Amino acid sequence: KRNSEEVKLIWVSKFHSAEAVENAIALGATDFGENRVQEAESKFSVKRDGIRCHIIGPVQKNKLKKAALVADCIHSISSEEALEKLEKVCVENEKVLEILFQVNASEEETKSGLDVNEAEAFLSSLEFKRFPHLRFRGLMTIGKNTGIAEDSRSCFSFLRNLQQKFLKRGGIFSEFTELSMGMTLAWINQSLNSTELTHQFLGGKEEKFFSQANHIAELRELRADTLREMQKLYTYDTYNNDSYFD
């Protein structure tokens, strides 16, 4: 069974003010997700110990340099061209950048990422190439946000199986431990399996977490409760008849 501390909560700060970010930090938040590079620059250009910026949206070619400089991790990479550009920027700035590869596991035309039929071949093609300033940490996908668990379950099963396959290969995939899956409350409602999760605790229905400092305890309890539900509801993976949990 998994320890709740293995789950990383990324506070999605897109469209929210720098003040909201500061409030979240005061509550104990450490990881923040931004869709737009320019907005990330306005909030996270000044680096602080323990505070990490994640670029979770697609990054245009002309924004890759800025993304590499402001981000600690980019979740949406799906081309070797992007990797080469990021490596060059990191070399010039003596920086190490974490990378997650986005896979369009739901096979929807409106979503970005590697095609499910090409993802394994693409990752395999990187095994003998050198990107010393990039750390390949795992995979990202956005499941079908329909509110129905079964609609996304196979997407997340596919992603986990792919991540585990490459983690076992070692080498440049020796740190391939991360899964960024879901979106917002769909993950809680569906009890999906994930190592790295994205929630919008900075806005909408989750705004209540900012009313009192002790609400960070509620967040931690929510995380633990959700993991228990994951273990109870999704111990058995119908995608490949394997257990999600050791």
Side-chain angles (χ1 to χ4, degrees):
K1 293 184 178 181
R2 305 180 64 193
N3 187 313
S4 64
E5 295 307 313
E6 294 177 12
V7 175
K8 183 185 300 176
L9 293 176
I10 299 176
W11 297 54
V12 179
S13 49
K14 63 179 183 179
F15 310 137
H16 294 283
S17 67
E19 181 182 4
V21 170
E22 292 302 319
N23 289 341
I25 291 173
L27 293 175
T30 58
D31 291 76
F32 295 87
E34 292 285 347
N35 265 37
R36 298 177 180 176
V37 175
Q38 186 174 354
E39 190 173 357
E41 288 180 307
S42 70
K43 300 171 192 173
F44 301 103
S45 287
V46 178
K47 294 300 181 182
R48 289 186 280 182
D49 290 343
I51 304 302
R52 289 166 47 84
C53 173
H54 300 251
I55 299 295
I56 58 177
V59 182
Q60 297 175 349
K61 291 180 182 179
N62 63 346
K63 297 290 180 65
L64 282 169
K65 180 176 181 178
K66 291 183 176 181
L69 294 176
V70 72
D72 296 284
C73 181
I74 300 179
H75 291 225
S76 51
I77 299 303
S78 57
S79 75
E80 187 174 343
E81 181 182 0
L83 291 173
E84 291 172 349
K85 180 66 176 290
L86 293 172
E87 172 66 22
K88 181 179 178 181
V89 175
C90 289
V91 169
E92 293 170 350
N93 292 273
E94 298 181 345
K95 176 177 180 175
V96 174
L97 181 66
E98 295 186 1
I99 299 295
L100 273 70
F101 296 96
Q102 182 172 358
V103 180
N104 184 6
S106 61
E107 300 184 87
E108 296 173 277
E109 293 183 0
T110 57
K111 292 179 180 174
S112 304
L114 296 163
D115 185 281
V116 293
N117 297 311
E118 300 172 359
E120 184 172 348
F122 171 79
L123 293 173
S124 294
S125 73
L126 302 176
E127 283 194 274
F128 302 105
K129 296 178 181 177
R130 285 183 51 77
F131 298 99
H133 292 78
L134 304 181
R135 298 288 179 268
F136 297 167
R137 296 305 315 280
L139 301 173
M140 184 272 271
T141 197
I142 301 172
K144 297 179 181 179
N145 192 22
T146 62
I148 302 173
E150 291 302 321
D151 287 352
S152 289
R153 188 173 180 182
S154 63
C155 300
F156 296 125
S157 298
F158 170 83
L159 205 73
R160 176 171 170 79
N161 293 338
L162 186 62
Q163 173 257 331
Q164 288 290 306
K165 177 180 291 187
F166 279 87
L167 177 62
K168 291 175 182 177
R169 292 191 184 186
I172 62 170
F173 297 107
S174 61
E175 300 178 85
F176 214 63
T177 58
E178 302 298 305
L179 288 173
S180 179
M181 306 195 293
M183 62 184 299
T184 323
L185 294 179
W187 174 77
I188 295 174
N189 292 337
Q190 297 174 21
S191 299
L192 298 170
N193 179 281
S194 180
T195 301
E196 185 168 335
L197 309 166
T198 303
H199 296 283
Q200 292 175 330
F201 283 116
L202 290 165
K205 297 178 181 179
E206 297 78 24
E207 202 71 64
K208 66 181 181 181
F209 285 109
F210 286 87
S211 62
Q212 296 180 26
N214 63 7
H215 278 161
I216 191 66
E218 294 183 31
L219 193 157
R220 288 171 177 157
E221 183 178 351
L222 171 63
R223 178 170 63 178
D225 287 347
T226 305
L227 279 172
R228 283 193 289 271
E229 288 302 306
M230 286 163 54
Q231 291 169 339
K232 182 172 67 174
L233 297 176
Y234 285 92
T235 299
Y236 192 71
D237 173 4
T238 58
Y239 192 80
N240 69 347
N241 294 333
D242 287 333
S243 172
Y244 270 151
F245 301 94
D246 295 329

